[in-house]
DNA sequence: CGTTTTAGTTCTACGATACTT
DNA sequence: CAAGTATCGTAGAACTAAAAC
């Protein structure tokens, strides 16, 4: 090699955006007065470097503004250190917090996340193919919930937020059943019997929550009161659903919504029909997203922990890639009911 | 080289997810009976290959399920072919469609997008540092709108959706001024005078739209009727803003909202106050997102073209990276008013 | 016949990891 | 620990061989 020459070229062609660009391990090694290999060891936090040299290397790296080249790392290592992330249109505050958790965890494990969005014009297959260019060694799917992910069994794969029945798919999710049960229990304890549910449509998650609602009602012997109205993911769906509830001859005294967006929209519709919340009707949301706290009537809701979900998903995948044992394929986080102002005792007695 | 050995190792360690994994240029070259370099030439669509060999190479590539390794491409090339994308919490249907456009364009230009989200715990600096590992050669920022992007002038940079006053920042945006003017003009033409605006808060985009609203009102000699209510990005902000409007002694007959989310939320609030749309009040949204068409009252709104915005942003950056000339630093797409059912002639005469 | 064009190959560089000595 | 070297999978420059004019 001719380091001198390579330096020259770099200086001439690079515009750079730190102090200098194109700082390589060589530069750091030379500056710290050690070998390249030792720099590698230090940067990877691998064992085999004395405290003093470690310090000197890190110092040199900082001074030069050195950041390891992830492309080279990825190419040279046995693992690519790349985790693909597919995520779809179901974008809300909740999914965004999930992304945040994923990135934080990935970075702390020295892995890189490559996002591959799923849109109308970009299906699972296209998204997978594009990720393949990075030779990713694991995949995390956020949405939309599919019961049979395309790459299931072909590569370490984790889905976040719903249940998948595949022996080689890892699952990290919130206990939606307990979450919905807690919501129903809360309303029943307050004295409600006529409790309706605006669902989330036909997705796997929506189905799970709907089933949980029906089961909870049955457990309380309220099957005859159970009522499901078709909703969806977003506020507009909530508007439609709530409107249908208002039009019914029997108006419920309690509502469990698929998510916070639906709940907030429903509150608006109720108000427009002269029904106050929680006096006229109690409403429970789901997710404890930013929506819940910003809602005009602070929302009683079921909290998920997006940061935890993200962290666990990444850690699972890292574990899989490193071929270490995983005890349980499915991690289920508990859901926690957060009681705020949108629920109260019923004032009317249902017919 | 010992290709035989390298094959063996690959077969043993790879789980693979197509038919085979770890297919390299070597494999394709061997199969097509040509040199590796020729495969490179064909894959890059570079000149210097006969039609026949080109066909044979592509055939071999298809049969083997070969995809070039973007890490190696990135590392070996003079350019990294990586474009960083920062995007923040302002996530709505609109921004998602933007992402779609960006990916489509990037892929068709043989570039790779690396997403670096901006969240509470992840600022511009952190996001930039993480991208730096990829040696990205251009950056596209979607949000949140900043007037002084951190990396301005240090690397080819494009912002999408708002104006930035920096000689080395490319801008691709919709003509918000004309868009808002069209909205106001539309209402004025219908006979409205008392037209209010629920704004988007303090972001650069929100300020631009607010100013445009005020200017439009002035142009029609309606300055005394102008009224701005503080809103924000999401539906909850719309709820608050609309409520404030209803509480005012003088109720407007027309409303121009910062975006579709605000508009839809406002319609809900109006209904709850017994005000029908468009009979009691006309409402215009912004973005023509999926929200606009799903709204219970189909929304009159100003359409942006997210796919175009995305495509142009990518193409600018590719052009910059290739050091080719760019004529105008700022591209402004026209905004188009889509008239639907949420606007009509005023039925009341304002006091 | 000499010179450019086109097609194809050979070889090194890219920036790290990982192994050997 | 240090030093050296092979390797990862590609780009791309330098080079060769043959055809084209």
């Amino acid at each position: 090699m001719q380091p001198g020459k390579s330096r020259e070229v770099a200086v001439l062609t690079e515009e750079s955006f730190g102090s200098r660009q194109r700082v390589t391990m060589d530069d750091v090694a030379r500056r710290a007065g050690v070998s390249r290999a030792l720099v590698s060891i230090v940067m990877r936090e691998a064992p085999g470097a004395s405290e003093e040299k470690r310090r000197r290397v890190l110092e040199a790296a900082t001074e030069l503004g050195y950041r390891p080249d992830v492309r080279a790392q990825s190419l040279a290592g046995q693992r690519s250190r790349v985790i693909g992330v597919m995520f779809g249109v179901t974008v809300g505050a909740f999914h965004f917090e999930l992304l945040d958790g994923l990135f934080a965890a990935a970075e702390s494990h020295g892995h890189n996340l490559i996002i591959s969005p799923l849109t109308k014009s970009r299906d699972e297959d296209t998204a997978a193919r594009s990720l393949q260019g990075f030779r990713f060694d694991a995949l995390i799917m956020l949405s939309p919930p599919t019961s049979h992910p395309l790459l299931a069994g072909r590569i370490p794969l984790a889905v976040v937020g719903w249940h998948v029945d595949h022996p080689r798919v890892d699952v990290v999710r919130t206990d939606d059943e307990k979450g919905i049960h807690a919501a129903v229990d809360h309303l029943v304890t307050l004295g409600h019997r006529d409790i309706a549910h605006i669902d989330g449509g036909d997705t796997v998650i929506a189905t799970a929550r709907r089933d949980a609602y029906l089961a909870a009602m049955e457990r309380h012997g309220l099957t005859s009161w159970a009522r499901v109205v078709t909703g969806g993911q977003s506020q507009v769906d909530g508007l439609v659903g709530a409107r249908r509830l208002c039009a019914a001859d029997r108006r419920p005294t309690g509502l469990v919504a698929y998510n916070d967006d639906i709940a907030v929209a429903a509150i608006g519709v109720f108000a427009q029909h002269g029904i106050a919340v929680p006096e006229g009707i109690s409403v429970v949301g789901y997710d404890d997203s930013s929506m819940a706290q910003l809602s005009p009537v602070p929302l009683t809701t079921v909290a998920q922990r997006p940061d935890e979900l993200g962290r666990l998903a990444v850690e699972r995948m890292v574990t899989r890639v490193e071929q270490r044992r995983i005890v349980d394929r499915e991690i289920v986080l508990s859901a926690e009911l957060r009681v705020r102002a949108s629920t109260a005792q019923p004032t009317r007695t249902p017919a």
Side-chain angles (χ1 to χ4, degrees), chain A:
Chain A
M1 248 229 325
Q2 297 141 294
K5 187 193 162 210
S6 111
R7 266 317 65 211
E8 253 177 81
V9 173
V11 170
L12 290 178
T13 60
E14 268 307 314
E15 286 294 320
S16 92
F17 83 77
S19 36
R20 263 154 292 205
Q21 183 100 316
R22 280 275 135 74
V23 186
T24 75
M25 266 183 31
D26 263 319
D27 302 302
V28 178
R30 211 168 308 124
R31 172 127 187 171
V34 301
S35 71
R36 226 177 356 157
L38 191 59
V39 176
S40 173
I41 288 173
V42 171
M43 295 310 291
R44 281 179 290 148
E45 300 182 3
S50 68
E51 257 324 303
E52 202 233 319
K53 298 229 166 176
R54 186 177 294 277
R55 201 184 41 69
R56 264 172 55 196
V57 167
L58 289 176
E59 201 171 47
T62 307
E63 286 169 4
L64 296 175
Y66 170 72
R67 291 222 95 203
D69 187 317
V70 300
R71 306 165 305 170
Q73 285 185 315
S74 179
L75 194 57
Q78 353 205 241
R79 313 281 168 210
S80 75
R81 303 173 142 273
V82 167
I83 298 177
V85 176
M86 287 193 194
F87 88 117
V89 278
T90 326
V91 183
F94 177 71
H95 280 88
F96 208 73
E97 292 174 44
L98 214 44
L99 260 194
D100 194 13
L102 288 174
F103 271 86
E107 269 154 29
S108 81
H109 283 82
H111 280 243
N112 305 288
L113 296 186
I114 303 294
I115 302 290
S116 201
L118 297 170
T119 67
K120 285 160 289 183
S121 55
R122 210 158 180 285
D123 59 12
E124 229 174 303
D125 196 65
T126 310
R129 239 196 301 280
S130 132
L131 284 177
Q132 205 186 342
F134 289 92
R135 304 295 189 266
F136 65 110
D137 37 37
L139 178 63
I140 294 177
M141 298 189 68
L142 298 189
S143 63
T146 319
S147 43
H148 298 294
L150 187 64
L151 262 38
R154 314 182 129 175
I155 204 158
L157 166 62
V159 302
V160 182
W162 73 94
H163 171 75
V164 167
D165 234 343
H166 190 293
R168 296 184 60 187
V169 173
D170 288 301
V171 173
V172 181
R173 63 181 180 91
T174 300
D175 191 339
D176 277 357
E177 190 173 351
K178 278 215 181 119
I180 292 287
H181 277 240
V184 172
D185 290 356
H186 170 61
L187 291 176
V188 170
T189 303
L190 285 172
H192 294 270
R193 279 185 297 167
D194 192 353
I195 303 168
H197 175 58
I198 299 183
D199 75 7
D202 284 328
T203 70
V204 182
I205 302 179
T207 304
R209 293 189 190 166
R210 182 171 52 236
D211 290 349
Y213 158 78
L214 292 171
M217 290 298 277
E218 182 176 356
R219 218 190 41 192
H220 286 289
L222 297 176
T223 300
S224 60
W225 294 98
R227 188 165 15 158
V228 174
V229 174
T230 302
Q233 306 293 319
S234 69
Q235 295 212 2
V236 259
D237 304 302
L239 296 180
V240 178
R243 213 159 262 138
R244 201 167 308 164
L245 273 185
C246 289
D249 357 314
R250 195 182 85 211
R251 222 173 49 216
T253 67
L255 169 66
V256 173
Y258 167 72
N259 67 16
D260 291 341
D261 292 76
I262 301 285
V264 169
I267 291 179
V269 172
F270 294 147
Q272 122 189 27
H273 281 75
I275 314 167
V277 172
E279 294 79 9
I281 185 171
S282 287
V283 176
V284 185
Y286 208 103
D287 283 349
D288 195 22
S289 65
S290 52
M291 192 113 286
Q293 302 159 48
L294 295 173
S295 163
V297 182
L299 205 62
T300 294
T301 187
V302 179
Q304 298 201 63
R305 301 200 311 248
D307 50 340
E308 272 296 286
L309 290 170
R311 189 179 61 78
L312 288 167
V314 167
E315 285 175 356
R316 302 241 100 179
M317 291 300 91
V318 172
T319 306
R320 287 281 184 207
V321 168
E322 290 172 353
Q323 315 258 31
R324 277 153 43 210
R325 290 286 305 157
I326 278 185
V327 264
D328 33 22
R329 204 177 49 72
E330 182 160 4
I331 296 186
V332 181
L333 295 187
S334 66
E336 191 184 324
L337 185 74
R338 293 223 203 296
V339 178
R340 297 208 181 87
S342 68
T343 48
Q345 297 184 351
T347 51
R348 327 176 258 118
T349 321

